[in-house]
DNA sequence: CATGAATGAGCCTTCATTCAT
DNA sequence: TATGAATGAAGGCTCATTCAT
């Protein structure tokens, strides 16, 4: 799957890595190709031999990132059986990944950047596909759980998947230390919660809320 | 005894409205003051009579937006009693607001813009304060529920608040029709959920998940 | 010579005073009419009731300043008799004035501002006239000294006047503390001169150099 | 292996030349980088590849100018021996240089521009150093003259240097034909001096005044 | 007369993109 | 293939000037 030139693909990967760093650090608009090139140890013009333009680079980076994320999650969740365990593993995989590559989360935060709305269809579709795949897997796990009788069937699986991803991304932000999310976890007043738990503890707590609910029984 | 249009406060509001539109449509960096001025029906230079610079305008817009959001939520939740009902009302208030002002959600999406990191302390603090206030209120409701015996006490209220806001913002995105979030709700395959529920239905579902959990009993 | 309205002339003077401060502090281009208005305690628009525009204001200020300078010098020199004493008094008057109104010197420093080249003929002429008057007086004093046998006649009086004004303005800059001129006086190394003499001492020294020359006899 | 035009130093010099023209013609503030770029036959953005910003360009231009001036003077004065001859050569070198590069004098006139006050320390220091060096050389020549018994020792060398530079700059302005200075030389009435002498004659006259004084003996 | 809100031309500066080498 | 110098469009911001009140 690599280019003719043995180094071609390596260069491409180097650029993607550099772009991830820079886009994560700066966001889409403020990131400069100059910075990407410097980070990659290449000249600015060289980037254009591998990517059509800034937008193109951005989206290939995004796709690349989503692929890594998915790989990381899949690897963790494949080792488990049972829908709930797999969901927990999915959450944990996500947290782990973000904690280890916090740039990635920042990068993904820029996805909603409206300036990217008018993007090349194909690239946007590729991103969508990756992301949708992620969600589909989760929805699939929920359905599996419903069929197996572990998850209540009276709520559409899509909605449960939504709840799951919502919680998970919020928790991920706390774990990574995003300012606004952090203030959430710290805002609880006198007997405040302990925000800086480990990824594992947070994944557990999250799953307990999702699975058992918060109602007192 | 005054200049051409002495209605300074009205102008200010008009500019904030225009800025909200533009920032929501474009995000922070790509938004041009030219566009804001055009939207407000004013000349570019006039903006500088009301706001120190782009950053200043952005943050006043953000604070303004957060205030409206809070007002909208508080108004709805004050009419309820009981922690759970208030949480439901909070979610519903948030959904309603975002559905009616979908620009606001897009605007808030730009919060994580790294270009805004090195901001004027006072303004950043104001934003944080608004947002932290929102989260604190939710944490407070959870604590209240725990004290009243409606919510299980073995999970820190901060974590529950996190779960709540995570779900709520994800659902809000679906309701507003964000591309990525939408694909989530649609990705569930053949027997997929019905994403375009009303705000009320979604709030209910969300609360059911949060309160009762997804476990089959 | 005042306007109809008894305050009209007072206002005008106030504006000129304010303009002097601001032009001296900032120079021509960086000085803003806003600053002048603030200094004068008036609204920006009001300036335009008294002066056609910024350039006009600048030149009226300049003329005004030159008039004050001339008055101050004439007053001092009229009390002396003899060409050399009058020259000394002229120098002293100039130094005194600048020391008391160091803004004026800074203001005059902006005269050579090339951006002012394309000025209204009449105003430029007025400035020239004032300045030329000053020089003519000095040349006149030199001629008088030559006729009286106090000053050697073999050097054209214009050249001597030139030497006089050159020295005088340089000394004035030192007295006022201009950075570049100051470095001149301080640059003399180990047994350096004492730059911060009084105006009187400097005037004396200057006259000694001019009159007697620096040659060892 | 290089970009479009690898002759970086040549370009840099070309820009400095263009900047000299423009700054001299317009002064600091009114000079536009657009004009500099046009004069240099480059695009506006290109300037920023060679200089950090307008201020930076200005100061490098100034330093460059002062260096040329110093070179020109030193070359002339090194060929002479004896303090007085060297001073004369210094004046002559200065006049010659200014007559040949009248932009330089105009450029130097912009030194007092207050907008330049808050400058980068290093650059300001560089300018000061050049200028102080010039003054120090003159003071040194005076001291040498005093030690050799050619110059009276009862006047501090710094003051004599001041007188020298004052005269010299005034004369230079006349020679270059500055409007205000010109009017000085022309203002002497009927038997007026002949202002447009050659640089050599003016240097001689100046030195005669400085050395012998204007007193009739 | 006085005001000061509004205007908009113009400037500095950045940066994606091109292209000669 | 790689480079990096050059480009020029575009944006934020200032401020002289106007004019409705």
């Amino acid at each position: 799957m690599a280019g003719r030139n043995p180094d071609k693909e390596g260069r491409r990967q180097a650029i993607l890595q550099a772009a991830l760093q820079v886009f994560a650090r700066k966001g889409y608009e403020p990131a400069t190709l100059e910075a990407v090139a410097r980070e990659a140890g290449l000249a600015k013009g060289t980037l254009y031999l591998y990517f059509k333009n800034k937008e193109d680079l951005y989206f290939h980076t995004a796709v690349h990132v989503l692929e890594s994320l998915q790989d990381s999650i899949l690897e963790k969740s494949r080792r488990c059986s049972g829908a709930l365990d797999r969901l927990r593993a999915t959450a944990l995989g996500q947290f782990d990944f973000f904690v280890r590559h916090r740039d990635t989360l920042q990068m993904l935060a820029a996805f909603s950047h409206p300036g990217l709305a008018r993007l090349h269809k194909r690239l946007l579709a590729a991103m969508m596909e990756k992301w949708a795949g992620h969600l589909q897997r989760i929805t699939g796990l929920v359905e599996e759980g419903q069929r197996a009788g572990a998850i209540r069937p009276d709520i559409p699986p899509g909605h449960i998947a939504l709840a799951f991803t919502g919680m998970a991304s919020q928790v991920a932000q706390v774990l990574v230390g995003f300012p606004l999310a952090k203030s959430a976890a710290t805002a609880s007043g006198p007997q405040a919660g302990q925000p800086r738990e480990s990824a594992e503890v947070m994944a557990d707590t999250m799953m307990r809320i999702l699975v058992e609910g918060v109602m007192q029984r």
Side-chain angles (χ1 to χ4, degrees), chain A:
Chain A
M1 207 183 261
R4 274 152 298 214
N5 187 316
D7 259 25
K8 191 89 195 272
E9 187 55 26
R11 276 274 213 283
R12 213 188 123 92
Q13 290 303 320
I15 295 175
L16 285 174
Q17 273 308 317
L20 171 56
Q21 304 294 332
V22 175
F23 282 129
R25 209 156 47 232
K26 303 272 196 182
Y28 179 70
E29 281 272 351
T32 69
L33 293 189
E34 174 65 38
V36 173
R38 205 181 317 120
E39 183 90 26
L42 295 172
K44 219 179 352 169
T46 308
L47 302 184
Y48 285 83
L49 299 177
Y50 293 86
F51 299 94
K52 214 175 74 230
N53 53 29
K54 189 182 183 182
E55 237 174 58
D56 192 41
L57 174 58
Y58 179 79
F59 273 90
H60 280 285
T61 307
V63 169
H64 183 249
V65 153
L66 286 170
E67 269 167 3
S68 308
L69 174 57
Q70 240 169 351
D71 289 351
S72 170
I73 289 173
L74 280 179
E75 186 222 10
K76 270 217 158 49
S77 89
R78 249 199 289 268
R79 285 202 289 255
C80 301
S81 62
L84 290 180
D85 278 351
R86 283 213 173 136
L87 277 177
R88 188 194 322 274
T90 297
L92 189 54
Q94 194 170 328
F95 298 163
D96 263 6
F97 185 84
F98 283 145
V99 168
R100 270 182 298 123
H101 315 281
R102 54 184 61 194
D103 16 353
T104 301
L105 183 55
Q106 283 172 305
M107 169 93 200
L108 293 178
F111 266 21
S112 36
H113 193 304
L116 299 170
R118 54 187 166 77
L119 274 176
H120 192 295
K121 284 261 168 48
R122 199 176 58 75
L123 284 173
L124 188 54
M127 277 184 51
M128 289 300 223
E129 188 198 327
K130 294 288 171 203
W131 183 243
H134 177 57
L135 292 163
Q136 201 148 8
R137 260 200 66 256
I138 292 167
T139 309
L141 286 175
V142 172
E143 282 167 351
E144 191 188 317
Q146 288 176 325
R147 275 196 303 274
I151 294 179
R152 57 197 286 188
D154 60 332
I155 299 181
H159 290 184
I160 295 178
L162 222 54
F164 176 84
T165 56
M167 285 192 206
S169 58
Q170 198 82 327
V171 170
Q173 288 189 12
V174 172
L175 286 171
V176 167
F178 265 29
L180 275 107
K182 197 160 44 187
S183 71
T186 326
S188 37
Q191 69 271 51
Q194 292 73 24
R196 286 326 212 93
E197 316 281 2
S198 74
E200 232 140 315
V201 173
M202 288 300 274
D204 262 8
T205 304
M206 210 200 91
M207 287 305 290
R208 266 164 66 212
I209 295 175
L210 181 70
V211 171
E212 304 165 11
V214 301
M215 180 172 52
Q216 174 71 304
R217 296 173 199 284

